[in-house]
Amino acid sequence: MNTGGSVNIENPLGLLFLFILVPVVYAALRNYLGGKVFRSRLAGNPEGQEDEEFGGFFVRTFLSTFFFCLFLVFSILALADISWGTAPETEDRNGLDVVVVLDVSYSMLAQDSSPSRLEAACDIALGLIQGLGNSRFAVTAFKGGAVLAVPMTEDREILEAFFLNANPSVVNTPGTSVESGLETALGAFPAGTASHRAVVLLSDGESLSDFTGRAVEKASALGIPVFAVGLGGTQGSVIRLPDGKLLTDYEGRPVVTRQNVEALEAIAGISGGEYFSFREPGLISLLMRKLGDFEESRGKMGFRLVAVHRYRSFLLVGFLFLCASILIRSVKWKKK
Amino acid sequence: MLSFESPLYLLLCFLIPVGIWLRHIRRGRGNLLCFPFDIWKESGFSASLRALRIILFISHTAFWAGCTLLIIALAGPGLISRERVFLNRGVDMMIVLDESPSMAAQDFQPRNRFETARETIRRFILGRENDSIGLVGFGYEAALHVPPTLDYSYLLSELDKLHIMTLGDGTAIGMGIAVAALHLKSSAAPEKVIILLTDGKNNAGEIPPDTAARIAARIGARIYVIGIGGRGEAPIELHDVKSGKILRGSIEGGFDEDVLKTVAEKSGGSYFFAGNQGTLNAVFSAIDSLETVERRVRIQVTTRAVHAWFIMAAVILLAADFLVRVLFLREVL
């Protein structure tokens, strides 16, 4: 087990539970102030002056509440599922199944990749299909939604026919949702096959829908790397439609699109894949080599490295604090 | 099925009765204030409010339930799923289905030939495992609907989308076989099979059936030919997609048995005649048993961690108990 590497929060939404501490601390404070008056009355002392016996109660109540809060904090950290380091997990597979996720949104018609981002993407896909002769491919096309355009197959004819004719009308839903493209891609690997699995994302990374990263995290958990190829420049380009007109927004201004490198790098990074720019020299060979290396390394080693989840350590500490909280209030403190 | 990564942690559950005794039963417990009623030889007092006692009981139950869930979470609960993973390749198959108007003949009561064939194909697909299956349709033209794939859910959804006459009025048997052969060409499977279902004579397309059979044989594909439909006159009811009209009439004359037999023989396959639903089922069962390969299977067990749900429930229950006791019941000792 490798204990080095970066610390990741696998379930960041779990940290929202920290808000529970607000009513808990508020209740504890309110109770202390009210309880002080009550306790002094109970002891028959003047208002606000606590009996020595009740002073012990206060210390115990304070410590018990403090430990209970610490229990909550550590349990919530366990819920957030913090991970660091890697450990090997057996992976007995051979062969390679690749799902090509093709962005067919209108921004892919921008001509800052020659002849257009979409055609450049299709050329890359065709090169991969021809180059990786022993692999099976599936194709997912996405815009606002995603469709499984070609199921997992080794039939080169249909794959080539698809990429030679790909255009934005393949998908009807308007918008751009990389998330749904990746989600559909993960469902395109048929069950019961013993091949290594990878996703090749061909996109400019411009996502108009909310990107939550759930699909990428799912890919990472399944051991499916996403190799993201970014198309288009970062300077911005207008979108020329097939009829020659420029795509405009509702105010009539030309829509300018640019590659979102950060988004694509994040997708590749989280899933354990790699990001490539379409300008990379010998991109198709490089991609083929990376996919080949991925298949070979996993095949030779017979395992893959997975993140080590550390939730149990946090939960155990939290549990000890809870026990301490119970014991402090339950065991009577002897007076000297 | 629920399993545990570190079941030894479950032994911590033995601490729960101890905790209950310490917190609620033990006479000398810390949060207990003692009044010396016994010097008057009288019993003490207890809260008489039933609602208060019920709330207290629920609160305590929530607390100990939360503790139990916490211990279960420590044990690393996971949901186990088992998947059959095939280690060798199966057969690659292409199903070539006639979509010509004559397939609407209603001699396979209560359905027509096309619907019956579709239902039988569906059952056949569901009975196969690890075999890549594709789908080609033909009428006046032939077209690939699904390439050979193991993605049966996609295949079945595409099968459901098929309609009679979408590929024109005609019967291009040769073209159907040729398209199937083209898409099996790059297959590396040890066995390749084409299953042809037709009820008519070849009357369209540039490639005659016997030539197509030779092409299939060259790529190593066997053709099982199924001639479907009765030999006599049959009523027909057809929904014309173009005009939107329902056409009714009768149809006579079936397939050219000799041509179909030749196609099967040239490719090393077999010819079957299916005159009714029962025979069609039997034919598919026969093909199913003929096309079997040795399968090497590994059972892959995957565990999906579900500890997060337990932690979440535990935190909610324990926090709820705390808030009820402190905020609502105003516990000060």
Side-chain angles (χ1 to χ4, degrees), chain A residues 31 92 154-155 192 312 329, chain B residues 74 83 183 298 331 333:
Chain A
N31 203 43
D92 186 10
E154 57 181 353
D155 179 1
R312 190 175 283 120
R329 295 197 69 172
Chain B
L74 271 170
E83 186 191 349
H183 291 280
R298 168 166 55 84
E331 184 183 271
L333 295 178

Side-chain angles (χ1 to χ4, degrees), chain A residues 191-258:
Chain A
T193 55
S195 305
H196 295 287
R197 297 168 294 177
V199 169
V200 174
L201 171 65
L202 302 167
S203 173
D204 53 21
E206 269 206 336
S207 194
L208 302 179
S209 309
D210 290 340
F211 182 74
T212 62
R214 273 183 192 281
V216 190
E217 280 161 18
K218 194 174 162 189
S220 168
L222 292 168
I224 302 172
V226 179
F227 295 92
V229 179
L231 291 127
T234 50
Q235 303 300 313
S237 169
V238 292
I239 302 165
R240 198 165 289 282
L241 296 169
D243 59 7
K245 290 179 185 165
L246 292 180
L247 183 71
T248 54
D249 60 16
Y250 61 92
E251 285 175 350
R253 290 174 304 198
V255 174
V256 176
T257 170
R258 50 183 62 83

